[in-house]
């Protein structure tokens, strides 16, 4: 097995002549080379077609399975992606098919460019003396996560923030994105000027690790909502549709455009998360562990997309834990952290020479990313402080002319790159590099994709107006339609709940059949009324506790990326729930009320129905409060436990007269008390006629006497209604401020 170096290949090829036409010419480096294995040692060199550019070829070589060129001297290769033929002493590199299509496939798709996106300026992000601390409690004080780090991330570059767990890489990105603002010192500069946080958040986006998406929207519907919210009303619906179609096509989501997000693969979900934020063409994009949870193929497709986006002039910043050698070479800029300090920043190709100059030699055939993580973790001695001092003294700047990996269309092995780094020259006005973007599944799109940005030169466009792209009313309307559509498609929130209300309604009706007008069964009827109130309470509260945290995670992502305001989201969420909750309550009450033979009077039925609906809405408000304030695990425990005293002081288990004076105030803060009391008054109050008695003696033949027994003779129905309305309004307002506080706590 022999390892072929680029210089050896070029030296042999220079002696070859072109066989195109009568006149022979020498190989210039742009032609395709084909070895004819017929024993004659012939080599054919053909000029490439005009459409095959060097940048396209560069992408192809990057797309190989490895960067090392291994070859056995009997003519067979061990690397199929960038193979070299060694027969009869002639060393010729075999250029792989750049399209990924089978031979003879002529129907190639045209190039797609993101040319319809809004124009944005290039943005460089610089930070100086950045320090960040977190509180560990009153006794332990503060722990410093970042320790006076400096750096600059430029537009047009794919930047990786690397480091071991606890090094501060996610914290640094959160600080740069504006998500962390408390206990922070230092300065963040945008194009050399102090950052205005609200303006910066509007022109940047943060794509989180866990792909927070609404599960019941299709890809196209999610893109439409994003376009309507982020592009504003100044852009026509036709123009928005063009942008949506363009992004879906470019990111390889065409086949999944009508698929709900809950059915997408991991790679498709990641690309959809990127597509949603790409609608308004943010010049700065932050990615938290973009390859997390993806296989090697999906990881490469994802980073290829990020590389393409950066070549369009965007500033792409992402944290990555431990990439493979193939992925590591795709980054343009590397920022390494250890113990909250920078141990290297600069060109990826300059990392190994820099470490070598510090006495840390990366072994041959060893992934530099793995080695530098070992160094940062102290496996090669306590050298973090030495590296930090070298970075602060500017020593890593001496290695920025090194370039490892692949230059132009020339494949160089990792080992050779470590020994003989090639000097990288980056001329001014370098053309954008087209990138092939992966499609859904394992199929590759057979087209070069140029994610151009239509960059502006003027810095004035950065000083855009502060605020959301759309008005609050339009945000509310878009979110209301989206929430309504999501709930209709959610089996748990719609059909299952409706069916459960109907089934339980018939069950309760069968148990308490025809007792509503029976004097001897008034206590059983009171139990039926109480169960109705309690059932509606729990069926309204518990599903909200379970589902609202999922909506909260999506809300946090979209709000922090400046899609819409808290007020618009909360109003839409509140109003979208009302018709569903009312339908469930009405379905249950109608079944139970008439089967149990409650008074057949329109006024009493409407009073009974009204009090039940209000009770369910108050319970739903409590579910929203618990879901907004805590996690699902905590909520499913806190919700039922908190309901125990509320039920206990409702007046069914203990009469109000029997409650001790020092605990009597608790009955006034129990909303179930007002619901149960109002329902009892609507059934037995307002001078109802005497009940029929099928026994020899019925003590509560008079409904008024039964109300006296329940300590409700002085209760007023409308006071109960006003009390429930007060609970409803107060709780909804409290939930709104809890949402605001939760957003503030994230910073």
């Amino acid at each position: 097995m022999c390892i072929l170096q680029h210089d050896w290949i070029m030296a042999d090829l220079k002696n070859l002549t072109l066989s195109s036409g009568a006149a022979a010419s020498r190989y210039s480096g742009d032609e395709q080379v084909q070895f004819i294995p017929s024993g004659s040692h012939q080599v054919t060199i053909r000029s490439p077609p005009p459409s095959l550019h060097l940048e396209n070829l560069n992408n192809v070589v990057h797309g190989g399975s490895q960067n090392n060129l291994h070859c056995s001297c009997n003519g067979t290769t061990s690397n199929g992606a960038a193979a070299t033929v060694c027969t009869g002493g002639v060393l010729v590199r075999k250029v792989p098919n750049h399209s990924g299509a089978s031979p003879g496939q002529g129907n190639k798709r045209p190039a797609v460019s993101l040319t319809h996106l809004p124009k944005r300026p290039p943005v460089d992000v610089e930070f100086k003396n950045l320090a960040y601390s977190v509180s560990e409690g009153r006794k332990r004080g503060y722990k410093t996560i970042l320790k006076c780090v400096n750096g600059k991330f430029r537009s047009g570059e794919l930047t990786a923030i690397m480091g071991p767990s606890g090094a501060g890489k996610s914290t640094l990105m959160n600080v740069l994105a504006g998500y962390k603002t408390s206990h922070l010192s230092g300065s963040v500069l945008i194009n050399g000027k102090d950052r205005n946080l609200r303006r910066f958040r509007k022109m940047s986006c943060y794509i989180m690790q866990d792909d927070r998406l609404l599960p019941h929207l299709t890809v196209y519907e999610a893109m439409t909502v994003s376009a309507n919210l982020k592009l504003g009303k100044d852009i026509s619906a036709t123009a928005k549709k063009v942008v949506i179609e363009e992004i879906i096509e470019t990111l390889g989501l065409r086949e999944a455009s009508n698929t709900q997000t809950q059915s997408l693969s991991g790679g498709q979900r990641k690309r959809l998360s990127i597509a949603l934020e790409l609608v308004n063409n943010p010049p700065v994009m932050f990615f938290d562990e973009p390859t997390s949870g993806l296989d090697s193929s999906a990881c490469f497709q994802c980073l290829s997309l990020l590389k393409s986006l950066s070549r369009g002039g965007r500033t792409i910043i992402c944290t990555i834990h431990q990439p493979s050698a193939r992925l590591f070479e795709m980054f343009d800029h590397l920022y390494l952290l250890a113990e909250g300090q920078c141990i290297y920043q600069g060109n990826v190709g300059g990392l190994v020479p820099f470490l070598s100059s510090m006495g840390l030699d990366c072994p041959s055939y060893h992934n530099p990313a793995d080695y530098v993580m070992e160094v940062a973790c102290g496996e090669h001695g306590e050298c973090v402080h030495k590296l930090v001092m070298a970075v602060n003294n500017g020593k890593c700047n001496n290695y920025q002319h090194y370039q490892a990996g692949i230059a132009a269309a020339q494949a160089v092995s990792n080992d050779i790159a470590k020994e003989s780094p090639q000097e990288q020259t980056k001329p001014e006005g370098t053309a954008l590099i087209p990138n092939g973007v992966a499609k859904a599944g394992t199929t590759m799109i057979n087209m070069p994709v140029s994610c151009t940005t239509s960059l502006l030169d003027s810095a004035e466009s950065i000083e855009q107006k502060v605020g959301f792209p759309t008005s609050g009313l339009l945000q509310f309307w878009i979110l209301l339609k989206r929430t309504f559509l999501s709930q209709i498609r959610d089996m748990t929130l719609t059909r299952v709940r409706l069916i459960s209300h109907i089934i339980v309604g018939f069950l309760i009706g069968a148990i308490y059949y025809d007792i509503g007008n029976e004097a001897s069964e008034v206590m059983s009827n009171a139990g039926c009324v109480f169960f109705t109130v309690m059932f509606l309470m729990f069926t309204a509260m518990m599903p909200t506790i379970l589902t609202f945290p999922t909506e909260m995670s999506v809300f946090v992502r979209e709000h922090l990326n400046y899609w819409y305001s808290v007020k618009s989201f909360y109003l839409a969420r509140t109003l979208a729930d009302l018709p569903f909750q009312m339908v469930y309550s009405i379905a249950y009450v109608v079944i139970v009320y008439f089967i149990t033979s409650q008074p057949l009077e329109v006024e009493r039925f409407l009073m009974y129905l009204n009090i039940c609906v209000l009770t369910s809405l108050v319970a739903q408000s409590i579910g929203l409060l618990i879901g907004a304030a805590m996690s699902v695990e905590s909520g499913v425990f806190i919700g039922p436990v908190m309901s125990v005293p509320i039920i206990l002081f409702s007046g069914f288990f203990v009469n109000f007269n029997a409650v001790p004076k020092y605990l009597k105030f608790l009955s006034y803060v129990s909303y179930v008390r007002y619901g149960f009391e109002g329902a009892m008054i609507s059934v037995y109050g307002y001078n109802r006629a005497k009940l029929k008695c099928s026994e020899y003696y019925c003590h509560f033949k008079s409904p008024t006497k039964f109300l006296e027994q329940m300590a409700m003779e002085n209760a007023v129905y409308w006071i109960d209604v006003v009390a429930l309305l007060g609970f409803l309004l107060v709780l909804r307002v409290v939930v709104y401020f809890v949402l605001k506080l939760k957003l503030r706590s994230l910073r």
Side-chain angles (χ1 to χ4, degrees):
M1 188 68 67
C2 56
I3 298 176
L4 304 180
Q5 191 173 0
H6 165 260
D7 292 339
W8 303 344
I9 299 173
M10 293 298 107
D12 289 327
L13 289 180
K14 293 300 180 182
N15 297 323
L16 301 176
T17 59
L18 295 178
S19 59
S20 57
S25 59
R26 287 201 172 273
Y27 171 70
S28 64
D30 291 339
E31 295 79 13
Q32 296 188 22
V33 180
Q34 182 179 7
F35 178 74
I36 303 176
S38 59
S40 61
H41 296 174
Q42 293 180 349
V43 176
T44 302
I45 303 178
R46 295 177 299 164
S47 299
S51 60
L52 182 62
H53 297 287
L54 209 56
E55 290 95 354
N56 291 346
L57 198 56
N58 184 28
N59 287 316
V60 176
V61 180
H62 272 287
S65 62
Q66 295 179 7
N67 291 330
N68 296 332
L69 301 180
H70 296 288
C71 173
S72 60
C73 292
N74 60 1
T76 61
T77 64
S78 61
N79 180 9
T84 306
V85 182
C86 316
T87 304
V90 181
L91 307 177
V92 181
R93 180 171 57 85
K94 179 182 178 182
V95 179
N97 185 358
H98 83 284
S99 66
S102 59
Q105 181 179 359
N107 298 326
K108 298 179 182 178
R109 301 184 185 180
V112 175
S113 300
L114 297 177
T115 55
H116 294 84
L117 298 183
K119 293 184 178 182
R120 294 288 185 262
V123 174
D124 292 339
V125 180
E126 185 178 2
F127 50 98
K128 298 180 179 179
N129 299 321
L130 214 56
Y132 179 77
S133 303
V134 293
S135 176
E136 292 188 312
R138 294 182 179 179
K139 295 183 178 179
R140 301 181 64 182
Y142 288 89
K143 177 183 179 181
T144 302
I145 305 296
L146 296 177
K147 305 172 184 177
C148 295
V149 293
N150 301 273
K152 185 174 183 179
F153 302 149
R154 296 175 176 83
S155 61
E157 292 185 346
L158 176 59
T159 299
I161 302 176
M162 279 184 58
S165 298
K169 53 185 184 295
S170 294
T171 302
L172 174 60
M173 194 171 68
N174 289 337
V175 168
L176 295 179
Y179 283 18
K180 301 287 185 183
T181 55
S182 58
H183 310 299
L184 178 67
S185 63
S187 58
V188 179
L189 306 178
I190 304 301
N191 288 344
K193 299 180 181 179
D194 287 337
R195 178 180 67 178
N196 181 302
L197 186 57
R198 288 178 65 88
R199 290 195 181 100
F200 179 73
R201 276 180 50 202
K202 189 176 179 181
M203 65 180 184
S204 64
C205 71
Y206 192 118
I207 297 173
M208 300 177 183
Q209 179 178 348
D210 49 357
D211 302 326
R212 300 172 180 178
L213 302 168
L214 290 177
H216 302 290
L217 294 181
T218 66
V219 170
Y220 194 87
E221 289 166 348
M223 289 293 297
T224 302
V225 170
S226 175
N228 289 335
L229 287 170
K230 302 185 75 173
L231 294 180
K233 60 183 179 181
D234 296 334
I235 301 178
S236 65
T238 304
K240 291 177 183 177
K241 187 175 181 180
V242 170
V243 171
I244 293 170
E245 296 283 351
E246 194 175 60
I247 294 176
I248 287 178
E249 187 70 35
T250 303
L251 270 62
L253 293 170
R254 170 60 60 197
E255 292 182 356
S257 60
N258 293 319
T259 304
Q260 293 186 11
T261 57
Q262 62 182 350
S263 303
L264 297 178
S265 67
Q268 289 172 331
R269 290 173 63 85
K270 184 67 67 177
R271 277 179 275 150
L272 177 58
S273 298
I274 298 172
L276 293 175
E277 302 300 338
L278 199 60
V279 165
N280 65 330
N281 195 18
V284 184
M285 303 181 76
F286 297 93
F287 295 84
D288 186 17
E289 299 279 359
T291 60
S292 177
L294 303 180
D295 56 53
S296 59
S297 175
C299 286
F300 179 75
Q301 293 172 9
C302 181
L303 279 191
S304 297
L305 174 59
L306 300 190
K307 184 88 168 178
S308 174
L309 294 174
S310 68
R311 286 296 177 266
R314 301 169 186 85
T315 306
I316 308 295
I317 304 168
C318 61
T319 60
I320 193 162
H321 189 65
Q322 202 162 3
S324 64
R326 183 189 188 194
L327 300 182
F328 186 65
E329 290 179 345
M330 296 179 68
F331 291 101
D332 302 309
H333 187 78
L334 181 64
Y335 196 89
L336 276 170
L337 286 170
E339 301 174 7
Q341 302 175 90
C342 179
I343 59 174
Y344 178 78
Q345 59 173 313
N347 196 301
V348 172
L351 173 63
V352 173
F354 170 73
L355 294 177
S356 298
S357 69
M358 304 299 295
L360 299 166
D361 295 316
C362 181
S364 300
Y365 305 103
H366 200 82
N367 182 2
D370 293 337
Y371 181 74
V372 79
M373 292 292 281
E374 296 170 4
V375 171
C377 292
E379 295 184 16
H380 298 274
E382 296 296 330
C383 49
V384 172
H385 179 70
K386 181 172 64 174
L387 293 173
V388 170
M389 294 300 296
V391 170
N392 291 339
N393 294 331
K395 188 172 182 180
C396 59
N397 296 330
N398 301 331
Y399 299 92
Q400 298 313 299
H401 61 283
Y402 286 98
Q403 174 64 28
I406 301 172
Q410 306 160 358
V412 185
S413 72
N414 282 339
D415 189 54
I416 296 175
K418 294 172 187 174
E419 298 176 3
S420 306
Q422 303 295 320
E423 183 171 352
Q424 180 193 18
T425 59
K426 188 175 181 180
E428 294 294 329
T430 303
L432 299 178
I433 300 177
N435 284 261
V437 183
K439 204 169 185 177
T442 57
T443 307
M444 300 296 291
I445 298 178
N446 299 323
M447 61 181 178
V449 178
S450 177
C451 295
T452 54
T453 316
S454 302
L455 294 177
L456 300 177
D457 295 329
S458 63
E460 296 178 359
S461 56
I462 298 179
E463 303 295 327
Q464 51 193 315
K465 64 179 182 178
V466 176
F468 296 99
T470 53
S471 64
L473 185 61
L474 183 57
Q475 292 173 21
F476 164 74
W477 178 243
I478 295 170
L479 294 174
L480 181 65
K481 291 190 293 184
R482 182 180 75 169
T483 308
F484 198 83
L485 182 61
S486 295
Q487 294 203 9
I488 287 178
R489 293 177 179 173
D490 192 334
M491 289 288 291
T492 304
L493 285 178
T494 52
R495 280 164 278 184
V496 172
R497 285 175 71 186
L498 181 60
I499 292 172
S500 66
H501 278 75
I502 293 173
I503 292 175
V504 174
F506 280 110
L507 178 63
I508 297 301
I511 294 173
Y512 296 101
Y513 178 74
D514 202 23
I515 67 169
N517 200 34
E518 178 59 50
S520 61
E521 300 289 347
V522 288
M523 288 305 299
S524 297
N525 194 39
C528 175
V529 172
F530 178 75
F531 181 84
T532 295
V533 173
M534 191 171 66
F535 175 74
L536 293 176
M537 177 192 75
F538 276 106
T539 54
M541 180 176 65
M542 294 309 297
T544 310
I545 291 176
L546 291 171
T547 58
F548 192 58
T550 303
E551 298 177 45
M552 271 290 298
S553 62
V554 177
F555 157 70
V556 168
R557 173 183 65 83
E558 293 176 345
H559 174 72
L560 293 179
N561 284 333
Y562 250 66
W563 286 35
Y564 47 76
S565 64
V566 181
K567 181 169 55 179
S568 299
F569 164 77
Y570 185 60
L571 284 176
R573 178 63 174 79
T574 299
L575 289 185
D577 253 346
L578 288 179
F580 292 99
Q581 190 57 48
M582 292 175 68
V583 167
Y584 306 144
S585 301
I586 291 171
Y588 176 82
V589 169
V590 167
I591 294 171
V592 172
Y593 191 89
F594 292 105
I595 292 181
T596 57
S597 299
Q598 302 301 333
L600 296 178
E601 301 175 25
V602 176
E603 294 83 359
R604 292 185 184 275
F605 171 71
L606 292 179
M607 291 167 63
Y608 189 85
L609 180 62
N610 178 54
I611 208 76
C612 290
V613 170
L614 283 176
T615 303
S616 67
L617 292 178
V618 173
Q620 187 186 51
S621 301
I622 293 180
L624 286 173
L625 178 60
I626 295 173
M630 56 191 68
S631 64
V632 176
E633 294 79 5
S634 302
V636 294
F637 173 76
I638 295 296
V641 168
M642 192 177 70
S643 300
V644 171
I646 293 176
I647 294 173
L648 190 61
F649 288 96
S650 62
F652 177 74
F653 296 104
V654 181
N655 281 354
F656 299 134
N657 296 334
V659 177
K661 291 183 178 180
Y662 56 87
L663 292 177
K664 190 165 286 189
F665 74 95
L666 292 175
S667 66
Y668 294 103
V669 296
S670 170
Y671 69 93
V672 178
R673 173 246 172 103
Y674 298 102
F676 177 56
E677 187 178 81
M680 288 292 289
I681 293 172
S682 63
V683 172
Y684 290 109
Y686 293 100
N687 300 319
R688 180 181 175 180
K690 289 186 178 182
L691 306 175
K692 69 176 183 179
C693 181
S694 59
E695 303 289 338
Y696 291 108
Y697 173 74
C698 296
H699 186 69
F700 296 114
K701 192 172 184 179
S702 172
T704 304
K705 194 172 184 178
F706 179 59
L707 290 177
E708 290 175 359
Q709 175 67 25
M710 300 294 292
M712 298 179 182
E713 70 276 7
N714 296 321
V716 180
Y717 175 82
W718 297 110
I719 291 179
D720 296 326
V721 171
V722 170
L724 289 175
L725 286 173
F727 273 108
L728 179 62
L729 293 176
V730 169
L731 285 171
R732 297 282 173 161
V733 171
V734 169
V735 173
Y736 173 75
F737 285 105
V738 167
L739 290 177
K740 300 275 284 186
L741 288 174
K742 186 141 191 175
L743 289 173
R744 184 172 297 178
S745 68
L746 293 174
R747 302 178 194 174

